[in-house]
Amino acid sequence: MKVKCTLSYDGSRFSGFQIQEKGRTVQGEIEKVLRKIHKGESIRIYPSGRTDAGVHALGQVIHFATTFSLKEADWKRALNAMLPDDIYIKAVEHASDAFHARYDVMEKEYQYIVQNVVEPDVFKRQYVHHFPYALNVAAIQKACSYFVGEHDFTTFSSAKSTAKGSKVRTLYEVSCKQEGNQLIFTFRGSGFLFNMVRIIVGTLLEIGQGKRRAEDIPTLFEMKDRRKAGKTAPPQGLYLWEVVYDDR
Amino acid sequence: MKVKCTLSYDGSRFSGFQIQEKGRTVQGEIEKVLRKIHKGESIRIYPSGRTDAGVHALGQVIHFATTFSLKEADWKRALNAMLPDDIYIKAVEHASDAFHARYDVMEKEYQYIVQNVVEPDVFKRQYVHHFPYALNVAAIQKACSYFVGEHDFTTFSSAKSTAKGSKVRTLYEVSCKQEGNQLIFTFRGSGFLFNMVRIIVGTLLEIGQGKRRAEDIPTLFEMKDRRKAGKTAPPQGLYLWEVVYDDR
């Protein structure tokens, strides 16, 4: 039987999602709990995709296979009782054997929060990107529209990416709204490359500062060269907001 | 020359304000920076009062004496450049030699935030008290009024308090407002005893649950017995909001 979980985590004390030799990871913590529940048997979990160190999730999705037969509410209660308090399982559903949290993704949504004020806020330092310089929000909003649609995102993904194959992705929404002193960026798309959201945000902030023009984005796409885009925005402003599957 | 600083800190990674043998403290971090600035000379800082492990501050005030002559803006810049990112100096003022951050306090304000929802929020776990049970807010608000004025707060302070002398304090405001799923408690008074705000909040939450009646508070004051009051609410919901001095 497969179990599908929707979870949130505060990324600030994790060395990312994926299990690794050193460092505390989301996968490591969840698999540790599943091993206890399964009396020492190792259970592998599969996420919709990894998140980097410091990146947060409100709607990450994982699945795992188990021979344990528990009601959905009991899975939720058992997992939350044993997990550390920076991971929270929001929902558990029984899934078909064919379900795969990564391969079945229809759409993903990320949000990125920039706090555009001079003085930093100690309570937000791990949860927003503090950006103290003046920004032209209208220029950023104009630039957002250039990212919507199907594009080869080579320029806007990490050159370190190990992903083989096409770097063509389709974005359904790229938007920026101002709420008080915060800029909230929303990205919805069929899939995202390594560091893609953070590189786009870094580029949009340079446009907001007047260092680049929105009209130059089509040329950046054509260049297929990561070095032509802006800096990678820091991880703490990024949230994996929602993962959408076919069953919805 | 005396220097007065107003600062905020995120208490979640500190073992409290006051320096101690083990554990990271706000005082320890600030004195370390001051020692560097003063080329190895130890500089003692004096706060308006201590805060416990996990308690936050938006408007803590400290002073220290120095022979260094720097402009206020330069002190602020130098301190913030060297301090860790969970402490932020919001303002620096030159103060008279007679000024003392603790003895000259006229009024202090604390806020306490309760998040009254069933499901915990991983992003708030260090910044609010998550309280999943139903609360009668009107009963809490009625009970708040009983704490206003001059009272002997022995029942509502830690029995472990080492404070000698009178436990009589005057509260100018005790209020509770509802904002979405949060209850925000405000306490303004001439001074506060050890754990006083947290014990009052713990008692108010029991009243909100119907375990006690607002009308019983006068009797609790008379008993002068910590064991008769409610549980001490946890530190992460508590914020030292503002310290007021005569010069304002």
Side-chain angles (χ1 to χ4, degrees):
Chain A
M1 175 187 284
K2 278 190 177 170
V3 174
K4 173 189 174 191
C5 303
T6 305
L7 57 149
S8 57
Y9 46 84
D10 174 346
S12 51
R13 296 189 187 185
F14 291 107
S15 309
F17 185 92
Q18 193 177 39
I19 208 159
Q20 52 187 50
E21 295 267 316
K22 277 183 187 176
R24 186 171 175 263
T25 64
V26 179
Q27 184 180 3
E29 294 295 325
I30 296 173
E31 291 189 354
K32 200 191 301 175
V33 165
L34 286 174
R35 195 155 52 240
K36 277 183 202 158
I37 293 176
H38 292 81
K39 309 194 188 306
E41 184 192 352
S42 288
I43 303 289
R44 179 103 302 183
I45 65 168
Y46 298 87
S48 72
R50 311 170 194 171
T51 52
D52 287 337
V55 174
H56 312 292
L58 266 92
Q60 172 68 289
V61 173
I62 61 166
H63 85 261
F64 58 88
T66 178
T67 52
F68 250 63
S69 146
L70 278 181
K71 280 182 200 158
E72 294 169 338
D74 292 335
W75 269 118
K76 180 176 168 180
R77 201 173 304 117
L79 289 166
N80 283 322
M82 296 171 78
L83 282 167
D85 66 0
D86 48 358
I87 302 177
Y88 185 73
I89 307 291
K90 298 166 87 169
V92 175
E93 296 159 75
H94 291 142
S96 76
D97 282 339
F99 177 75
H100 195 289
R102 181 165 157 223
Y103 301 139
D104 295 356
V105 172
M106 293 273 290
E107 186 183 313
K108 269 183 169 180
E109 179 176 333
Y110 284 93
Q111 297 211 2
Y112 193 97
I113 306 178
V114 170
Q115 193 169 37
N116 189 25
V117 284
V118 174
E119 309 247 351
D121 179 341
V122 292
F123 300 103
K124 298 280 179 69
R125 72 194 191 286
Q126 296 167 325
Y127 306 108
V128 299
H129 171 30
H130 173 242
F131 194 82
Y133 312 109
L135 287 170
N136 178 342
V137 178
I140 291 174
Q141 285 165 335
K142 184 182 172 194
C144 284
S145 62
Y146 285 95
F147 290 98
V148 176
E150 188 181 271
H151 301 282
D152 182 317
F153 283 93
T154 304
T155 301
F156 300 98
S157 68
S158 172
K160 282 179 259 167
S161 170
T162 54
K164 303 223 165 54
S166 167
K167 299 215 171 164
V168 174
R169 297 291 184 277
T170 303
L171 296 188
Y172 310 124
E173 178 184 349
V174 179
S175 62
C176 172
K177 67 178 172 186
Q178 193 161 20
E179 284 188 5
N181 57 35
Q182 294 193 333
L183 295 185
I184 299 170
F185 294 85
T186 300
F187 296 84
R188 286 194 305 111
S190 62
F192 292 85
L193 300 163
F194 187 46
N195 277 356
M196 181 170 141
V197 172
R198 289 166 56 188
I199 294 168
I200 296 176
V201 170
T203 307
L204 288 170
L205 291 174
E206 292 179 9
I207 290 167
Q209 286 187 280
K211 294 180 174 177
R212 296 172 179 269
R213 296 181 318 148
E215 295 77 12
D216 296 337
I217 293 168
T219 315
L220 291 175
F221 275 124
E222 280 166 30
M223 287 176 168
K224 295 185 184 157
D225 183 349
R226 164 67 188 92
R227 293 167 299 178
K228 304 296 183 192
K231 271 187 257 175
T232 307
Q236 67 270 19
L238 184 59
Y239 294 77
L240 173 53
W241 206 263
E242 192 182 7
V243 186
V244 179
Y245 295 92
D246 208 3
D247 54 309
R248 284 183 37 133
Chain B
M1 176 186 283
K2 277 190 179 172
V3 173
K4 173 189 174 190
C5 302
T6 306
L7 58 148
S8 57
Y9 46 84
D10 174 345
S12 51
R13 296 189 189 186
F14 290 108
S15 309
F17 185 92
Q18 193 177 38
I19 208 159
Q20 51 188 50
E21 294 268 315
K22 279 184 187 175
R24 187 171 174 263
T25 63
V26 179
Q27 183 180 4
E29 294 296 323
I30 296 173
E31 291 189 355
K32 201 192 298 175
V33 165
L34 287 174
R35 196 155 53 238
K36 279 184 200 156
I37 293 176
H38 292 81
K39 310 193 187 306
E41 184 193 350
S42 287
I43 302 288
R44 179 104 301 183
I45 64 168
Y46 298 87
S48 72
R50 309 170 196 172
T51 51
D52 286 337
V55 174
H56 311 293
L58 266 94
Q60 173 66 289
V61 174
I62 60 165
H63 83 263
F64 57 88
T66 178
T67 52
F68 250 61
S69 148
L70 278 182
K71 281 181 199 159
E72 292 168 341
D74 293 335
W75 270 118
K76 181 177 168 180
R77 202 173 304 117
L79 289 167
N80 283 322
M82 297 171 76
L83 282 167
D85 67 0
D86 49 356
I87 301 177
Y88 186 73
I89 306 292
K90 299 166 86 168
V92 175
E93 296 160 76
H94 292 141
S96 76
D97 282 338
F99 177 74
H100 194 288
R102 180 164 158 224
Y103 301 138
D104 294 356
V105 171
M106 293 271 291
E107 186 181 313
K108 271 184 167 179
E109 179 175 333
Y110 284 92
Q111 296 210 2
Y112 194 97
I113 306 179
V114 170
Q115 194 168 37
N116 189 26
V117 284
V118 173
E119 309 247 351
D121 178 341
V122 292
F123 300 102
K124 298 282 179 66
R125 70 193 192 286
Q126 296 167 323
Y127 306 108
V128 299
H129 171 30
H130 173 241
F131 194 82
Y133 311 108
L135 287 170
N136 178 343
V137 178
I140 291 174
Q141 286 167 333
K142 185 182 172 193
C144 283
S145 63
Y146 283 96
F147 289 98
V148 176
E150 187 180 274
H151 300 282
D152 182 317
F153 282 92
T154 304
T155 302
F156 300 98
S157 67
S158 171
K160 282 179 260 168
S161 169
T162 54
K164 302 229 164 53
S166 168
K167 300 215 170 164
V168 174
R169 296 292 184 276
T170 303
L171 296 188
Y172 309 124
E173 178 184 350
V174 179
S175 63
C176 171
K177 68 178 169 187
Q178 194 161 18
E179 284 188 5
N181 57 36
Q182 294 192 335
L183 296 185
I184 299 170
F185 294 85
T186 300
F187 297 84
R188 287 195 304 110
S190 61
F192 292 84
L193 299 164
F194 186 46
N195 278 356
M196 182 170 139
V197 172
R198 291 165 57 189
I199 294 168
I200 296 176
V201 169
T203 306
L204 289 169
L205 291 174
E206 293 180 8
I207 290 167
Q209 288 187 280
K211 294 180 177 178
R212 296 171 178 269
R213 297 181 317 148
E215 296 76 12
D216 295 337
I217 294 169
T219 314
L220 291 176
F221 276 124
E222 280 167 29
M223 287 177 168
K224 296 185 183 157
D225 182 350
R226 165 66 188 94
R227 295 168 296 177
K228 304 298 183 191
K231 271 188 256 176
T232 306
Q236 67 268 22
L238 185 58
Y239 295 76
L240 173 53
W241 207 262
E242 193 183 6
V243 186
V244 180
Y245 295 93
D246 207 2
D247 55 308
R248 287 185 32 137

